[in-house]
C-alpha cells in the first residue's frame, strides 16, 4: 500500500499545531506494524462544524479526535453516538465506517485509567474544580467506578448547579474562594485551564496549604512540564496525575477504535509503550528548544550591555 492510500486519521480543532496526538498515534501504528495502513496528522481549523463533517465524509477520513471547541457541537451531527458520550454530552473520538460517522468519548476513560493505577475508586470522596466539558467526563468516570462527588468548586455557580442537576448529584456547590474544603477529599481533580500555558501559567486553583500526603491530585491541564498545581502537590507528598497521562490513556482507547485492531493485553502494552515514548521524545525536544531560546536570550542581553 502506498502512502496516499493510507487511512487518514486527524486531530481536529484549534489550536492543534502542538498536539501530541500525531506523534503518539504514528508511533503506535509502527509498534503494531500498521504504519503502512494508517497515517495520523493535525487539522487546525476554525470553520463551522457542519463543513468539517461534510469534509470528513467527502474525503473518507477514517478516524478523528475532536478537541476544543468542537466536542459538544459535533454530537448532534453524527449518525450514531455511544450512550456514554451522550451522557457526558461530548464526543472526542469519531470513527468513519463507510460513510457512517460514529461518536465516542474516551476522555472519561483517560481519567479513570490514570486514577485506577493509583487507587481503587469505590467509595472515594472526589472534589472537582471546574464545571465544563472535562468536569463532565471526570464526574461520569468516577461515578461509574463507585466514587462519591462531595464538592464542585467553580467560578460561575449557575454552571455548577446545571451540572449537578444533570448528573443528579447531591454535593456541595462552592466558589473557588472556598477551595480549602477540598482538603477533606481523597481525590481532587482540576478541570479548569488554570495553570495552562497562555492562560494562567504560574497559577494554581488549589493552594498548597490545602493539599496533604494522603490525597491524589489530578490536573487535567495539558503540559509537558509539571504545572504549578502538580509541582506543589508533589512537594506536599500527594500522589499526582498530570494532563499528559490523561492524554496518553485516552489515546490508547482511541487507537483501538480508529484502527479496529483487537485491544488484547499485549497490543495495549505495545501501544502504551509507543505512546509513552513519543511523549518523552516531545518533552526532550521541548526542553532543548527552551535551552536554545534561553541561550539566545542571554547572548542578546550580552550584546545590548
Ligand atoms: P470548558 O468546557 O470551557 O470548561 C472550563 C471550566 O473552567 C469552566 O468550569 C470554567 O468556569 C472554568 N474556567 C475557565 N477559565 C477559568 C479561569 N481563568 N479561572 C477560573 N475558572 C476558569 O473547558 P474544558 O473542555 O472542560 O477544558 C478545561 C481544561 O481541560 C483545558 O485546559 C483543556 O485543555 C483541559 N483538557 C485536558 C484534557 C487532557 O486529555 N489532558 C482533555 C480535555 C480537556 P465557568 O463555569 O465559570 O466558565
Amino acid at each position: 500500500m502506498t502512502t496516499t492510500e493510507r487511512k487518514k486519521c486527524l486531530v481536529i480543532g484549534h489550536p492543534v499545531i502542538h498536539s501530541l496526538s500525531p506523534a503518539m498515534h504514528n508511533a503506535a501504528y509502527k509498534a503494531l506494524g500498521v504504519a503502512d495502513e494508517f497515517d495520523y496528522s493535525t487539522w487546525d481549523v476554525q470553520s463551522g462544524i457542519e463543513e468539517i463533517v461534510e469534509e470528513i465524509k467527502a474525503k473518507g477520513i477514517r478516524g478523528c479526535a475532536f478537541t476544543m471547541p468542537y466536542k459538544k457541537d459535533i454530537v448532534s451531527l453524527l449518525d450514531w453516538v455511544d450512550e456514554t458520550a451522550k451522557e457526558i454530552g461530548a464526543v472526542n473520538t469519531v470513527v468513519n465506517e463507510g460513510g457512517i460517522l460514529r461518536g465516542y468519548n474516551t476522555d472519561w476513560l483517560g481519567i479513570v485509567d490514570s486514577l485506577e493505577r493509583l487507587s481503587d475508586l469505590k467509595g472515594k470522596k472526589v472534589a472537582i474544580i471546574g464545571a465544563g466539558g472535562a468536569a463532565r467526563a471526570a464526574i461520569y468516570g468516577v461515578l461509574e467506578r463507585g466514587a462519591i462527588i462531595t464538592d464542585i468548586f467553580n467560578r460561575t455557580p449557575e454552571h455548577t448547579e446545571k451540572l449537578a442537576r444533570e448528573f443528579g448529584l447531591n454535593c456541595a456547590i462552592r466558589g473557588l474562594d472556598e477551595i480549602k474544603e477540598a482538603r477533606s477529599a481523597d481525590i481532587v481533580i482540576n478541570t479548569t485551564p488554570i495553570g495552562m500555558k497562555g492562560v494562567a501559567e504560574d497559577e494554581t486553583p488549589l493552594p498548597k496549604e490545602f493539599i496533604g500526603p494522603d490525597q491524589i491530585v489530578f490536573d487535567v491541564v495539558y503540559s509537558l512540564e509539571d504545572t504549578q498545581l502538580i509541582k506543589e502537590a508533589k512537594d506536599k507528598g500527594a500522589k499526582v496525575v498530570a494532563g499528559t497521562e490523561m492524554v496518553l490513556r485516552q489515546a490508547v482507547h482511541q487507537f483501538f477504535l480508529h484502527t479496529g485492531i483487537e485491544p488484547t493485553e499485549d497490543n495495549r502494552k505495545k501501544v502504551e509503550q509507543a505512546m509513552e515514548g513519543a511523549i518523552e521524545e516531545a518533552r526532550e525536544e521541548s526542553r532543548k528548544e527552551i535551552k536554545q531560546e534561553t541561550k539566545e536570550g542571554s547572548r542578546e542581553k550580552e550584546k545590548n550591555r
Side-chain angles (χ1 to χ4, degrees), residues 2 20 34 36 50 53 64 89 96 100 105 119 121 124 126 138 149 155 157 189 191-192 211 243 255 257 263 270 272:
T2 63
L20 290 174
V34 291
D36 57 350
E50 286 88 356
V53 168
C64 310
N96 182 353
I100 306 289
N105 187 302
S119 167
L121 297 180
K124 292 290 183 307
V126 180
I149 305 289
R155 192 174 56 178
I189 310 179
T191 68
T192 74
I211 303 175
F255 172 92
L257 287 168
K270 283 184 186 155
E272 257 171 35

Side-chain angles (χ1 to χ4, degrees), residues 1-281:
M1 206 177 248
T2 63
T3 312
T4 48
E5 289 166 331
R6 284 193 290 174
K7 292 177 192 150
K8 209 148 187 47
C9 294
L10 296 168
V11 51
I12 301 173
H14 180 79
V16 288
I17 298 291
H18 298 292
S19 170
L20 290 174
S21 294
M24 285 193 300
H25 285 270
N26 286 321
Y29 296 154
K30 270 191 200 151
L32 286 203
V34 291
D36 57 350
E37 227 184 293
F38 292 93
D39 173 57
Y40 201 111
S41 52
T42 56
W43 185 14
D44 204 299
V45 59
Q46 284 180 283
S47 46
I49 188 70
E50 286 88 356
E51 284 170 51
I52 293 174
V53 168
E54 270 174 33
E55 207 152 328
I56 292 168
K57 287 195 174 181
K59 289 191 172 158
I61 303 299
R62 162 66 188 177
C64 310
F66 279 89
T67 69
M68 283 195 300
Y70 298 117
K71 284 186 190 185
K72 272 190 208 157
D73 298 345
I74 183 87
V75 178
S76 61
L77 298 175
L78 298 169
D79 300 302
W80 178 90
V81 178
D82 162 76
E83 283 307 313
T84 303
K86 275 189 202 157
E87 265 189 66
I88 296 171
V91 159
N92 74 326
T93 304
V94 169
V95 183
N96 182 353
E97 283 172 11
I100 306 289
L101 298 190
R102 296 182 182 275
Y104 305 84
N105 187 302
T106 62
D107 279 339
W108 78 276
L109 289 163
I111 292 170
V112 162
D113 284 1
S114 305
L115 283 171
E116 285 186 328
R117 295 167 84 87
L118 300 177
S119 167
D120 181 15
L121 297 180
K122 203 167 169 50
K124 292 290 183 307
K125 290 184 279 176
V126 180
I128 305 280
I129 311 175
R136 297 181 71 90
I139 291 170
Y140 178 88
V142 299
L143 287 179
E144 227 278 321
R145 294 295 196 266
I148 304 147
I149 305 289
T150 54
D151 308 81
I152 305 177
F153 302 88
N154 192 44
R155 192 174 56 178
T156 311
E158 300 82 60
H159 294 169
T160 329
E161 279 153 17
K162 183 169 179 280
L163 176 70
R165 217 174 26 247
E166 284 175 12
F167 278 93
L169 299 174
N170 180 23
C171 66
I173 289 173
R174 302 187 187 277
L176 294 171
D177 56 341
E178 294 175 90
I179 199 69
K180 68 174 190 310
E181 305 298 337
R183 180 65 192 92
S184 48
D186 300 307
I187 300 169
V188 187
I189 310 179
N190 172 43
T191 68
T192 74
I194 299 172
M196 190 176 161
K197 211 170 179 184
V199 178
E201 201 167 335
D202 299 323
E203 289 176 28
T204 169
L206 176 63
K208 70 179 188 189
E209 57 268 37
F210 310 130
I211 303 175
D214 53 322
Q215 289 183 299
I216 296 177
V217 174
F218 191 149
D219 194 353
V220 305
V221 167
Y222 180 81
S223 167
L224 282 170
E225 299 299 335
D226 286 350
T227 58
Q228 193 62 20
L229 172 58
I230 292 290
K231 274 186 212 156
E232 294 184 0
K234 278 183 178 172
D235 284 351
K236 295 300 294 267
K239 290 182 184 157
V240 298
V241 181
T244 43
E245 179 157 0
M246 175 180 167
V247 168
L248 163 76
R249 309 260 163 247
Q250 68 76 28
V252 173
H253 291 278
Q254 203 163 68
F255 172 92
F256 291 108
L257 287 168
H258 283 166
T259 60
I261 292 172
E262 203 187 334
T264 61
E265 213 184 311
D266 187 44
N267 284 344
R268 280 183 62 92
K269 265 193 201 143
K270 283 184 186 155
V271 169
E272 257 171 35
Q273 273 172 7
M275 288 187 171
E276 262 162 8
I279 293 178
E280 204 38 57
E281 262 179 43

